[in-house]
Amino acid sequence: MTKIPDDERTRMSYVNPNSLVSTDWLAEHANAPDVRIVDASWYMPAANRNPRAEYDAAHIPGTVFFDIDEIADTDNSLPHMVPSPEKFSSRMRKLGLGDGNRIVIYDGSGLVSAARAWWLIRLFGHEDVAILDGGLPKWKAEGRPLEDLPVKPAERHFTSRINSFMLREKDQVLRNIDSAREQVVDARSAGRFLGTDPEPRAGLRGGHIPNSRNLPFTDLLNAGDSTVRSAEELSAAFAKAGIEFTRPVITSCGSGITACVLAFGLHLLGHRRVAVFDGSWTEWGLDETTPVNTGQ
């Protein structure tokens, strides 16, 4: 199986360096027999971008498209909630993603929705999965090859084993307010967290889950190219938000997408007890019975 060499940066930075690959590494290993590349782009409706259309127009050669809104529980009124193991296995199999593959994921923003696909794949038991540092924008900026050819992968068996320790539901988060067993950290912007800026989805109250902390996901990325910041900078960002590494963490956001960026950052640093609140603020803010705090 293709392995990522320990270069100086990863060796000195992350506890789990194999979870993040560079554009240089992918260019060298893209054609390896065990490597599979995935475009998991997703955008908020206000962005007026169609991720599937953009994939069809230009993608890294050999890439398949992972539709976050369809590889989900589409019977749920909430957006892109975790699907059943049976559905997830079926979709992975049709994408040619399965046992024995090293999966590399990117998106069209740099690192946003790629983290959601990374988390989902790990949630269902496949550990050999990484994110492309800087994503498609960095690949394009470096003038690397793209294609618009349709990809028809051969089906591959995917063994689904859901890890419930990585997932939190609303009732669990509600009980945690009193127990304070797990720390809750919110990836939304400060204005949305404080309730001073409006939510992008209609009908949502402003504010945050009581006792939660705020760490905008953008604080984990370098401003110029959306690559992941160093381990020292990641550690400092979580510490500034008040997150203790000796205690378990629940990450949250608007709808369960950028919460996975925080989960990914914690994973790079070696934190082993991290769960994502799947419904996140969309579920919490719509429910008039859940407690909400505003301000600091």
Side-chain angles (χ1 to χ4, degrees), residues 21-294:
V21 303
S22 67
T23 50
D24 285 341
W25 185 93
L26 185 60
E28 182 179 352
H29 294 90
N31 294 322
D34 60 322
V35 171
R36 298 292 183 272
I37 310 172
V38 172
D39 182 333
S41 298
W42 173 92
Y43 307 103
M44 289 288 292
N48 292 317
R49 295 179 66 175
N50 184 323
R52 179 68 202 221
E54 291 184 18
Y55 163 83
D56 289 338
H59 52 263
I60 297 174
T63 296
V64 296
F65 183 72
F66 187 106
D67 189 338
I68 284 175
D69 281 332
E70 197 284 324
I71 306 177
D73 179 3
T74 50
D75 292 329
N76 196 314
S77 61
L78 297 170
H80 41 255
M81 295 287 281
V82 169
S84 68
E86 294 77 17
K87 180 175 183 179
F88 192 79
S89 294
S90 171
R91 298 301 188 270
M92 292 290 281
R93 183 171 63 250
K94 290 178 180 178
L95 289 174
L97 306 173
D99 303 343
N101 285 157
R102 173 157 187 74
I103 300 172
V104 178
I105 308 171
Y106 69 80
D107 65 44
S109 299
L111 202 169
V112 178
S113 54
R116 175 69 181 189
W118 168 86
W119 175 78
L120 273 172
I121 292 169
R122 293 183 68 247
L123 175 70
F124 285 102
H126 189 93
E127 293 289 335
D128 200 3
V129 55
I131 293 176
L132 178 63
D133 202 12
L136 189 60
K138 190 171 189 293
W139 183 273
K140 285 182 174 179
E142 294 168 349
R144 300 186 187 272
L146 298 168
E147 67 179 17
D148 60 2
L149 301 175
V151 176
K152 298 179 180 180
E155 290 196 8
R156 190 176 183 94
H157 179 71
F158 183 91
T159 302
S160 182
R161 300 178 299 270
I162 191 165
N163 181 356
S164 59
F165 293 105
M166 295 174 57
L167 177 66
R168 292 293 177 272
E169 299 180 353
K170 183 177 66 176
D171 61 338
Q172 295 172 302
V173 178
L174 190 59
R175 291 195 299 270
N176 187 70
I177 293 175
D178 291 329
S179 70
R181 191 183 73 84
E182 297 175 300
Q183 305 166 97
V184 179
V185 58
D186 191 321
R188 292 176 300 155
S189 66
R192 291 172 64 190
F193 180 83
L194 298 173
T196 56
D197 291 345
E199 286 294 313
R201 295 176 176 85
L204 294 186
R205 295 171 292 166
H208 56 268
I209 298 167
N211 303 325
S212 61
R213 304 300 184 100
N214 183 217
L215 176 55
F217 78 94
T218 50
D219 288 359
L220 304 190
L221 307 176
N222 291 307
D225 58 7
S226 292
T227 53
V228 181
R229 298 173 71 184
S230 70
E232 293 76 12
E233 292 170 314
L234 294 185
S235 295
F238 282 107
K240 184 178 179 181
I243 300 303
E244 302 173 25
F245 270 70
T246 57
R247 299 177 55 214
V249 176
I250 301 171
T251 65
S252 183
C253 62
S255 65
I257 298 289
T258 59
C260 299
V261 178
L262 299 189
F264 182 67
L266 289 165
H267 171 79
L268 289 176
L269 296 175
H271 201 305
R272 296 181 178 274
R273 296 182 294 170
V274 181
V276 170
F277 176 20
D278 194 26
S280 283
W281 193 252
T282 299
E283 182 175 22
W284 194 273
L286 280 173
D287 186 346
E288 294 292 336
T289 69
T290 54
V292 169
N293 283 0
T294 57

